[in-house]
């Protein structure tokens, strides 16, 4: 038979929006807003969920824990030849198990996924592995670009404010 618009919508995969936020492009501000709106239930009004590592298993500020997932997709081995840099070795399997369960739950409930991390901008990200994890979603990648001279000034100011003597 003839498919209607509603039939097409029902057969579509949920969306996974991956924000690739290079350093000094307001990624932290965006992540804090995503966390705030997620906790207030605003994202669910648009059928979006965002991965949130459980506090009991992963202590620390919520917005700081989100990059751990992205960093676990880094194909560069850590200093000791172990898991990628930034992905806590002792927690890597638990983080990835959590992420697998999160994605499965999101897909089964037809929820869209929203993720943001500076780590997605790293050269060593294993895009093939990320693609495999997101196979049940239509993926949209959002990249923020900042003009080099604006970026370098902001980066320099951050180094200066942090007391980095090499910045002077």
């Amino acid at each position: 038979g003839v498919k209607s618009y509603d039939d097409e919508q029902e057969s579509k995969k949920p969306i996974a929006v991956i924000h690739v936020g290079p350093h000094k492009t307001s990624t932290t501000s965006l992540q804090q807003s995503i966390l705030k709106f997620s906790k207030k239930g605003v994202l669910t009004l648009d059928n979006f969920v965002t991965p949130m590592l459980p506090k009991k298993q992963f202590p620390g500020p919520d917005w700081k824990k989100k990059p751990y997932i992205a960093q676990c997709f880094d194909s560069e081995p850590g200093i000791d030849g172990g898991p990628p840099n930034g992905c806590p070795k002792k927690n890597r399997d638990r983080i990835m198990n959590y992420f697998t369960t999160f994605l499965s739950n999101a897909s089964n409930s037809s929820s869209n996924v929203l993720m943001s991390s500076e780590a997605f901008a790293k050269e060593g990200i294993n895009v093939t592995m990320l693609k495999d994890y997101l196979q049940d979603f239509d993926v949209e990648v959002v990249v923020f670009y900042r003009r080099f001279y604006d970026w370098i000034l902001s980066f320099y100011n951050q180094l200066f404010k942090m007391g980095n003597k090499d910045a002077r």
Side-chain angles (χ1 to χ4, degrees):
V2 177
K3 281 189 171 184
S4 72
Y5 176 76
D6 290 335
D7 291 337
E8 272 189 285
Q9 289 301 102
E10 288 178 20
S11 66
K12 282 182 74 173
K13 293 179 180 180
I15 299 168
V17 178
I18 307 298
H19 170 249
V20 178
H23 188 61
K24 299 307 299 169
T25 59
S26 298
T27 302
T28 299
S29 296
L30 178 63
Q31 290 169 348
Q32 289 173 336
S33 294
I34 290 170
L35 175 64
K36 176 182 170 184
F37 293 134
S38 178
K39 285 184 173 182
K40 289 184 174 188
V42 175
L43 293 180
T44 57
L45 295 175
D46 287 323
N47 197 33
F48 274 94
V49 293
T50 188
M52 187 74 58
L53 296 174
K55 281 188 183 230
K56 288 182 182 179
Q57 295 174 333
F58 306 96
D62 289 333
W63 65 272
K64 285 260 189 203
K65 293 186 284 187
K66 289 183 183 194
Y68 287 161
I69 294 169
Q71 289 166 342
C72 288
F73 286 98
D74 190 342
S75 61
E76 299 296 319
I79 295 169
D80 59 359
N85 294 317
C87 181
K89 183 176 183 177
K90 66 180 182 174
N91 292 329
R92 185 179 193 283
D93 290 340
R94 289 186 340 182
I95 290 170
M96 297 315 284
N97 286 337
Y98 161 79
F99 190 52
T100 300
T101 302
F102 168 82
L103 291 175
S104 177
N105 291 340
S107 176
N108 290 338
S109 65
S110 296
S111 295
N112 300 313
V113 171
L114 176 60
M115 295 179 64
S116 172
S117 177
E118 287 182 357
F120 285 129
K122 290 179 67 180
E123 185 178 333
I125 288 294
N126 185 335
V127 177
T128 303
M129 186 168 86
L130 181 60
K131 179 183 169 190
D132 289 344
Y133 271 81
L134 298 173
Q135 66 186 342
D136 294 332
F137 298 86
D138 285 330
V139 179
E140 295 184 15
V141 178
V142 178
V143 179
F144 185 85
Y145 171 77
R146 186 172 188 176
R147 293 177 186 257
F148 178 76
Y149 291 106
D150 290 337
W151 173 85
I152 198 70
L153 179 60
S154 179
F155 184 66
Y156 173 81
N157 284 334
Q158 180 181 3
L159 290 175
F160 187 77
K161 287 176 188 174
M162 292 175 24
N164 187 327
K165 296 190 185 344
D166 293 335
R168 297 175 194 186

